[in-house]
Amino acid sequence: MKTIKDLVELNDAHTIQLCTTPDFIHTGKRTLYSIISSFKYAIRLVSDTKDDLFIYTYKDVDLQQVMDMPVDIDKRYNLLILQDV
């Protein structure tokens, strides 16, 4: 299982941001929209060379403390979800 730190390296991310729901609703698919909007926050990994990654979470998190937390992949919708929060 990957951690946020692993995903930062894999995605060549240069910035890590905590976003709230309106900031990361970026899809037109209704089912996916309703699932994503149920999360309160997303950790955004910003990259210049690859698409930004969004890791969804229900809680406001301290970015320094979650870097080693595992990230689960929802296979049905291909979403990255922060575990153990």
Side-chain angles (χ1 to χ4, degrees), residues 19-30 32-34 36-37 42-44 51-56 77-80:
C19 310
T20 56
T21 305
D23 297 328
F24 62 76
I25 298 298
H26 54 278
T27 179
K29 297 178 184 172
R30 272 185 185 254
L32 196 54
Y33 178 88
S34 64
I36 290 174
S37 64
I43 299 165
R44 179 182 184 188
D51 289 343
D52 293 357
L53 285 182
F54 291 85
I55 303 160
Y56 301 99
Y77 296 106
N78 203 26
L79 298 177
L80 299 171

Side-chain angles (χ1 to χ4, degrees), residues 1 3 7 9 12-13 15 18 22 27-28 33 37 40 42 44 46 52-53 55-56 58 63 65 68 74 77 80-81:
M1 188 173 285
T3 65
L7 294 173
E9 290 174 20
D12 294 331
T15 305
L18 185 65
T27 179
Y33 178 88
S37 64
K40 297 267 189 245
R44 179 182 184 188
V46 182
D52 293 357
L53 285 182
I55 303 160
Y56 301 99
Y58 293 105
L63 294 176
Q65 295 178 357
D68 292 319
D74 177 309
Y77 296 106
L80 299 171
I81 301 170

Side-chain angles (χ1 to χ4, degrees), residues 63-75:
L63 294 176
Q64 298 301 319
Q65 295 178 357
V66 298
M67 294 304 288
D68 292 319
M69 284 190 162
V71 176
D72 194 23
I73 297 175
D74 177 309
K75 294 192 183 351

